[in-house]
Amino acid sequence: MMNGMPLSGVRNVFKIGVTMPEKPKLAVYWGASCGGCEIAVVNLHEKLLDVDAAMDFMFCPCLLDTKKKDIEALPDRAIAVTLFNGALRTGENVEMARLLRRKSRLLVAFGSCAKGGCIPALANFTTKDDLLNTVYLDNPSVDNPARIIPSGTTSFPEGEIHLTPLLERVKHLAQEVEVDYYIPGCPPESHQIWNVVEAVLSGDLPPKGSTIGCGTLTVCDDCDRVKEEKRITAFRRNYEFYPDRTACLLEQGLLCMGIATRNGCGAPCTKANMPCTGCYGVPEGIQDQGAKMVAALGSVMDIGDTTGLSEGEIAGRVDDFLATIPDYAGLFYKYTLASSTLGGRVMR
Amino acid sequence: MKIGVYFCNCGSNIAEKISSAAVAEAASFFPDSPYVTIVDFICSEEGKLQFEDSLKAEQPDRVVVAACSPRDHEATFRSCLTNAGMNPYLMQVVNIREQIAWVTEHPGVATEKAIAAIRGAVCRVRLQQPLEKKQLEVCPDALVIGAGPAGMKAALSLAEAGRSVVLVERTPFIGGLPVRFEDLFPAMECAPCMLEPLMGDLLHGEHPGKIELMTMAELVEVTGFYGNFIAKIRRKPRHVSLHECIGCGECVEACPATTMNEFNSSASGRKAIDFAFTGVLPNAPFLMEEVCVRAQGVECRACKDACPMGEDVVDLDEESTVVERTIGSIILATGAGLYDASRVAGLGMGVLPDVYDAMQFERMLSSTGPTGGEIVTAAGAVPSSVAIIHCVGSLDEDHNPYCSGICCRYAFKFNHLVTAKLPGASITHYHRELVVPGKEAHMLLRHAAGNSSTTLKRYAAISDLAVTRDDSGTLHVCSRGEVTPVDMVVLCPAVIPAEGTDRLSALLDVSCDSFGFFRELHGRTDAAQSTLKGIYLAGACQEPMDIRSAMLEGMATAGHTLAGLQPGRTIEIEPIAAEVDENGCAGCRLCLSVCPYHAISFNSEQNISHVNAVLCHGCGTCVTACPAGAITGHGFTNEQIMAEIEGVLQ
């Protein structure tokens, strides 16, 4: 693919790529991530050939065989764009983030892990020790009589193995290195990746620090369901009923995060009759997606007529209502805990 | 950016606890190193001059005033900024008196707190932007709903001031409840006589052109907002022209159909076309379509033929119409009703003959009522003993926990009237509490208490009382084993909101209290205003009330209308209000239901929400709720609030 011939007819778009003797270098790297972002890149399908025609796709451990030492060997700022996905969970993640920052002209936090910590950052609700205990010792399916928790350097007859240390807390990319742009999504939608590639190649980029490859509104704008005034009497979960296909899912009692989530995805989840889980993160101008969601829901939860009720009775109604929300943190901060005001569990 | 901090000592109020010198020293490390000026009493005439002169000399870009609560003097300081040629919204007031000096024991701690609060204000004020008040043209006219004492007084007062008023009344007549009474407490005045001049003025007085009276009419829809409401009113057909009818009653004589008259507590009959009661105003009958034989398909035009005033007075084919009126404010004067006394078990209401509630008894006492004012039992006998039971459903957790306020007074009025009409009849009052407020009503109490044929008996709970009837037809009031035989029992039920108050509340979005009365903006300081701007409350629709208070409230609501909306003058719109960023709104419609003032509407074509700045109180609820961050609270932006918090926490 690296040497693949560009398709005819699309060359006009990539004049730079064609006329310059050396194509700009493109790197895609993963930190603590699931690989979904790479799949989103591969989901460009035949457009990947256009990418390859325009750029030198030279580093991607998931897809290509380039090694870390190859990157180290490059001059600083040799890579035009690095799309860095995944959160920073380990020392190795941080080391690679710093290396790629040094070698790249544009470092892009690619996907919700790099942008806001995403699922890996939910570990910030516990301590590193608790995490390791759960994984290696207390898990019912683990058989570890020697109570070994892998860490540090281990010697074998063949030599030593060095395990990278876990950070105390999961970080998002910008908490360790300077980030030029952010692309949201878990993973980013392929058509938006393509939009970003085009923008990078044309040089038509917004001010540094912007979030790109997305819209400027919320998912509600992408979602064509019928919205009405919202008064929610209780939350329900997907398994409990078949939602109406045309009415707003939130109004039907599903905890749809679309209201407090940046748009640009095209609302594929609500189109599939599933509530938005918020993967495109905070909308423009919002600091904290979870807090915003709580504020918004708090404003429309309907606990009924409270006239004549005592304070205790009203509090009881609120508690009953809130009991219909299964997991506040995992729900409201699934994609943004590391970048939220809260950040995680407050350690004392 | 040049920032001025003005520190008020408030005499010793602030100076005693907070060191202005320490604040001044700390301020040099605040962002933009503001200058600090110390004033002794910045709200005094001298202080204000000093403040203004300093502003003119220093010409700061932003101002922080560290003084008392902004509730006290924010407006004062804003005027000073205006006088000094500054935009008044470029100032932040820090309450270092009530919130710090008065509540902090140790001066060192108080000074530290004050420094933090002022630092927060400095950080915030840097982000504040000049704001301008907007002007809006308004309609000065009013809609009054309910033509009882409160509504009539409001309408007349407004008409006297030259305002046009639409007066909507559900019944076919004006005068409300008391026009159906004989005499009124506390001075035993004749009710119709007392109300007559007011009603006459309303119908034929100096300003009749200013008052458009619609009887048998109900409000069906209101859109718009303070200063520019559009009301739709459904007028039910009266079938009699108010303009041409002379009230001769020939049609009534001719009418073949009869029914019971609800305006006489159904204690007498009426014709399908008839007056509500004798002496009613407007002096014209009305036709009950459902009673008229034409409803059964019978071809009849007896009433029309009997009319000496011609063909056009009675219109048998008149239909219900909906009319539309533009008004600037709405006065709710829908009055009260009586609690259904049959819901209080054991008192015989609706079960035993000769047990009446207060309204039925008022009609019996009235010379325009079913008995022409005679007190007679169902069997036609003159009673020799009457029991009057107070607090039926009032001051009672099982029914209505509040005191209805007027019952004791009218109960003693009953005592007075029974004594006058039936000399020698024994009267027993069963009461829980005795409530006779005001400077006149004690005379009624004294009269009853001094009456040798009157007995006052106190009971603890209404369940202690039972009314029974023996085989001879005599009623017995049993109170904890003590049995008193009587010929008639009068119950004084709780005063409750008039029927339909809940519908009106839903229609106008005016909130009600837990008893169903309209809720005041503030029970003491703003009792004649509802929670919605431009909708006022007069009379017993907000709580049990006597005629004196209802009339005064009618005047009060007229005052609000006159003060708020003046012909040719615009209303000022406070700029501290919410605004939707049209480019940021994704159309989720979440904000629509959160606004307590119904200031937010949705534009379906553009798919965006809109905040009506006239209705917005600047509370910020929608700003918080908007999940897209598309609503800005001017004067309270997220950035300003975050800057203040960060400034305080530094």
Side-chain angles (χ1 to χ4, degrees):
Chain A
M1 189 184 299
M2 286 176 72
N3 302 314
M5 290 299 291
L7 295 177
S8 59
V10 295
R11 204 143 316 146
N12 296 349
V13 186
F14 302 118
K15 282 199 177 102
I16 310 167
V18 175
T19 52
M20 292 213 358
E22 203 175 322
K23 295 190 287 186
K25 288 182 166 50
L26 170 68
V28 175
Y29 187 71
W30 53 5
S33 74
C34 67
C37 286
E38 276 78 6
I39 291 174
V41 171
V42 175
N43 273 348
L44 284 169
H45 299 307
E46 59 269 34
K47 281 233 163 44
L48 203 52
L49 299 176
D50 298 339
V51 174
D52 182 59
M55 305 184 89
D56 175 13
F57 190 7
M58 42 68 71
F59 182 49
C60 182
C62 179
L63 304 171
L64 309 169
D65 203 22
T66 331
K67 301 297 187 196
K68 180 184 171 195
K69 61 179 174 7
D70 301 327
I71 303 299
E72 285 170 332
L74 290 171
D76 285 359
R77 296 172 58 78
I79 303 172
V81 186
T82 293
L83 303 180
F84 191 104
N85 71 75
L88 307 180
R89 166 78 276 183
T90 67
E92 187 264 348
N93 297 150
V94 173
E95 192 184 327
M96 285 305 291
R98 288 180 181 156
L99 173 67
L100 286 163
R101 171 68 279 184
R102 205 164 63 240
K103 300 297 177 188
S104 310
R105 299 200 288 281
L106 285 182
L107 177 68
V108 178
F110 183 80
S112 293
C113 289
K115 184 171 185 287
C118 204
I119 311 282
L122 290 179
N124 290 354
F125 281 121
T126 185
T127 64
K128 187 176 81 172
D129 289 342
D130 283 346
L131 186 73
L132 291 172
N133 285 342
T134 301
V135 172
Y136 291 104
L137 305 177
D138 302 338
N139 199 313
S141 64
V142 164
D143 181 23
N144 183 3
R147 299 184 72 77
I148 295 167
I149 295 179
S151 68
T153 302
T154 309
S155 294
F156 293 94
E158 298 86 352
E160 288 183 334
I161 287 180
H162 305 281
L163 270 185
T164 182
L166 284 189
L167 305 180
E168 287 299 322
R169 289 200 144 196
V170 175
K171 295 176 175 179
H172 61 87
L173 186 59
Q175 284 174 318
E176 206 49 57
V177 296
E178 194 179 330
V179 169
D180 297 301
Y181 293 103
Y182 301 86
I183 301 177
C186 182
E189 287 293 315
S190 296
H191 73 278
Q192 291 287 15
I193 300 173
W194 176 249
N195 290 342
V196 170
V197 169
E198 279 189 315
V200 167
L201 290 172
S202 67
D204 185 17
L205 282 164
K208 188 176 157 174
S210 299
T211 301
I212 57 176
C214 55
T216 55
L217 297 169
T218 65
V219 174
C220 295
D221 195 58
D222 289 4
C223 169
D224 48 17
R225 286 171 180 264
V226 179
K227 286 108 185 165
E228 301 288 349
E229 277 195 37
K230 290 169 179 50
R231 276 271 153 228
I232 300 161
T233 50
F235 288 115
R236 295 191 284 175
R237 300 182 69 182
N238 298 67
Y239 68 82
E240 295 178 51
F241 71 116
Y242 290 105
D244 181 275
R245 289 200 160 266
T246 55
C248 170
L249 290 168
L250 184 61
E251 288 161 26
Q252 296 182 61
L254 286 172
L255 272 160
C256 181
M257 291 277 291
I259 52 168
T261 302
R262 188 188 278 272
N263 71 332
C265 58
C269 299
T270 68
K271 285 193 175 90
N273 224 17
M274 290 293 286
C276 167
T277 61
C279 81
Y280 263 56
V282 285
E284 192 77 45
I286 299 284
Q287 300 267 330
D288 189 308
Q289 187 182 23
K292 196 72 239 188
M293 196 65 196
V294 170
L297 292 181
S299 307
V300 294
M301 56 188 253
D302 184 359
I303 56 167
D305 185 8
T306 55
T307 43
L309 293 190
S310 71
E311 262 183 53
E313 288 167 324
I314 294 172
R317 289 240 193 126
V318 173
D319 287 343
D320 291 346
F321 190 99
L322 293 180
T324 64
I325 303 178
D327 169 18
Y328 303 119
L331 186 77
F332 298 137
Y333 288 101
K334 191 181 284 176
Y335 302 98
T336 57
L337 185 63
S339 61
S340 69
T341 308
L342 193 63
R345 183 170 155 194
V346 177
M347 307 291 179
R348 291 189 193 280
Chain B
M1 181 174 282
K2 184 170 180 178
I3 300 175
V5 173
Y6 290 83
F7 183 99
C8 177
N9 278 327
C10 195
S12 60
N13 273 303
I14 291 172
E16 204 168 62
K17 288 287 176 62
I18 301 171
S19 157
S20 54
V23 169
E25 195 190 323
S28 58
F29 299 101
F30 293 173
D32 293 321
S33 311
Y35 69 85
V36 178
T37 301
I38 294 146
V39 188
D40 258 342
F41 286 102
I42 196 166
C43 65
S44 67
E45 288 309 313
E46 200 183 330
K48 284 191 284 186
L49 265 185
Q50 193 186 336
F51 182 33
E52 286 173 23
D53 288 345
S54 169
L55 291 175
K56 285 175 194 160
E58 296 279 358
Q59 301 210 324
D61 300 301
R62 301 286 186 275
V63 176
V64 170
V65 180
C68 54
S69 164
R71 285 183 167 223
D72 278 357
H73 282 300
E74 188 170 51
T76 310
F77 305 145
R78 279 191 184 151
S79 308
C80 293
L81 261 75
T82 306
N83 293 342
M86 283 185 72
N87 183 292
Y89 295 94
L90 295 177
M91 172 192 70
Q92 179 69 6
V93 176
V94 193
N95 181 0
I96 58 169
R97 191 179 68 178
E98 287 88 335
Q99 290 183 343
I100 299 176
W102 283 357
V103 292
T104 311
E105 203 170 323
H106 193 274
V109 178
T111 301
E112 251 180 67
K113 277 195 209 173
I115 289 170
I118 296 169
R119 185 172 53 222
V122 167
C123 292
R124 172 199 220 283
V125 82
R126 297 163 81 221
L127 302 177
Q128 282 177 216
Q129 294 299 316
L131 300 173
E132 300 291 342
K133 288 186 175 175
K134 288 183 197 146
Q135 311 289 323
L136 190 87
E137 289 192 3
V138 293
C139 169
D141 302 333
L143 169 68
V144 179
I145 302 176
M152 290 196 298
K153 195 73 176 174
L156 268 177
S157 306
L158 287 166
E160 277 170 27
R163 299 299 175 83
S164 295
V165 181
V166 182
L167 177 56
V168 172
E169 168 58 45
R170 183 166 61 183
T171 68
F173 57 90
I174 60 173
L177 290 176
V179 80
R180 285 175 265 171
F181 302 167
E182 181 68 6
D183 288 338
L184 298 174
F185 70 74
M188 305 306 292
E189 289 160 279
C190 159
C193 316
M194 188 191 81
L195 292 170
E196 196 90 50
L198 197 67
M199 298 193 290
D201 256 8
L202 201 111
L203 296 171
H204 319 290
E206 287 176 35
H207 316 286
K210 287 287 175 193
I211 300 174
E212 183 186 10
L213 172 66
M214 300 184 192
T215 53
M216 302 179 72
E218 277 185 298
L219 192 64
V220 288
E221 187 189 308
V222 173
T223 52
F225 45 87
Y226 178 47
N228 291 284
F229 289 109
I230 297 168
K232 285 187 181 161
I233 300 145
R234 177 176 295 123
R235 310 188 64 164
K236 289 181 202 143
R238 188 181 189 102
H239 297 286
V240 175
S241 164
L242 280 183
H243 297 296
E244 292 166 85
C245 175
I246 56 165
C248 67
E250 295 287 343
C251 55
V252 179
E253 295 295 319
C255 180
T258 56
T259 185
M260 297 312 285
N261 183 6
E262 60 164 316
F263 298 111
N264 270 343
S265 302
S266 297
S268 67
R270 62 159 280 153
K271 297 291 187 64
I273 191 165
D274 206 337
F275 299 90
F277 46 88
T278 313
V280 71
L281 287 177
N283 181 22
F286 66 101
L287 174 68
M288 296 173 74
E289 284 178 359
E290 65 279 18
V291 178
C292 177
V293 293
R294 293 165 62 88
Q296 282 89 54
V298 179
E299 193 52 47
C300 176
R301 43 174 289 145
C303 52
K304 201 172 171 73
D305 291 340
C307 182
M309 297 306 290
E311 269 288 297
D312 300 335
V313 183
V314 177
D315 177 359
L316 293 170
D317 302 319
E318 188 185 354
E319 287 186 351
S320 152
T321 53
V322 174
V323 296
E324 197 176 284
R325 296 288 181 273
T326 301
I327 64 264
S329 53
I330 299 173
I331 294 170
L332 301 180
T334 50
L338 285 188
Y339 191 63
D340 177 2
S342 68
R343 294 176 65 176
V344 182
L347 300 182
M349 184 72 209
V351 184
L352 302 179
D354 297 318
V355 176
Y356 300 104
D357 74 11
M359 191 65 207
Q360 291 171 326
F361 197 58
E362 291 278 10
R363 288 310 288 154
M364 187 184 289
L365 292 169
S366 169
S367 47
T368 69
T371 60
E374 298 295 318
I375 304 174
V376 285
T377 65
V382 174
S384 60
S385 51
V386 177
I388 300 175
I389 302 179
H390 302 219
C391 294
V392 176
S394 295
L395 283 177
D396 188 335
E397 289 299 331
D398 294 333
H399 298 279
N400 300 286
Y402 54 84
C403 168
S404 292
I406 61 169
C407 325
C408 289
R409 285 178 284 173
Y410 74 64
F412 292 123
K413 173 187 84 175
F414 288 162
N415 181 293
H416 205 293
L417 286 165
V418 172
T419 308
K421 287 176 187 266
L422 308 174
S426 69
I427 306 169
T428 312
H429 287 263
Y430 292 89
H431 65 91
R432 185 156 33 203
E433 307 297 341
L434 279 179
V435 178
V436 283
K439 62 185 177 185
E440 292 177 276
H442 65 98
M443 295 296 289
L444 283 171
L445 173 61
R446 190 191 298 171
H447 178 273
N451 181 346
S452 60
S453 54
T454 294
T455 314
L456 299 183
K457 289 186 177 175
R458 187 168 186 186
Y459 65 88
I462 199 82
S463 53
D464 295 346
L465 300 183
V467 177
T468 56
R469 186 169 184 256
D470 65 21
D471 295 339
S472 71
T474 304
L475 296 169
H476 295 273
V477 181
C478 315
S479 173
R480 288 188 167 253
E482 182 197 284
V483 179
T484 309
V486 292
D487 296 329
M488 185 177 282
V489 173
V490 179
L491 306 178
C492 304
V495 177
I496 58 167
E499 191 247 316
T501 303
D502 51 347
R503 284 200 303 277
L504 204 52
S505 151
L507 190 140
L508 291 166
D509 288 321
V510 171
S511 56
C512 285
D513 57 29
S514 58
F515 313 120
F517 291 105
F518 288 125
R519 191 192 299 277
E520 308 90 342
L521 186 59
H522 187 283
R524 263 65 54 197
T525 61
D526 264 316
Q529 297 206 56
S530 79
T531 48
L532 274 190
K533 209 167 175 179
I535 299 185
Y536 306 112
L537 308 176
C541 63
Q542 62 169 283
E543 67 173 338
M545 195 174 282
D546 60 17
I547 296 169
R548 167 198 168 98
S549 304
M551 293 266 187
L552 286 171
E553 283 227 320
M555 295 282 286
T557 54
H560 275 302
T561 303
L562 294 174
L565 302 175
Q566 299 186 24
R569 290 232 316 244
T570 52
I571 49 173
E572 275 194 336
I573 303 172
E574 182 58 46
I576 294 188
E579 187 178 354
V580 177
D581 171 11
E582 298 184 354
N583 297 320
C585 175
C588 72
R589 301 204 193 195
L590 187 127
C591 55
L592 296 181
S593 55
V594 308
C595 179
Y597 308 103
H598 303 279
I600 307 181
S601 57
F602 192 75
N603 181 332
S604 299
E605 275 175 29
Q606 291 178 273
N607 200 36
I608 48 174
S609 290
H610 173 74
V611 177
N612 184 322
V614 183
L615 298 180
C616 177
H617 285 226
C619 71
T621 307
C622 61
V623 180
T624 310
C626 176
I631 307 183
T632 301
H634 290 299
F636 289 88
T637 65
N638 289 338
E639 293 73 22
Q640 288 163 4
I641 292 168
M642 290 307 288
E644 183 165 6
I645 293 171
E646 279 168 18
V648 168
L649 297 180
Q650 254 168 33

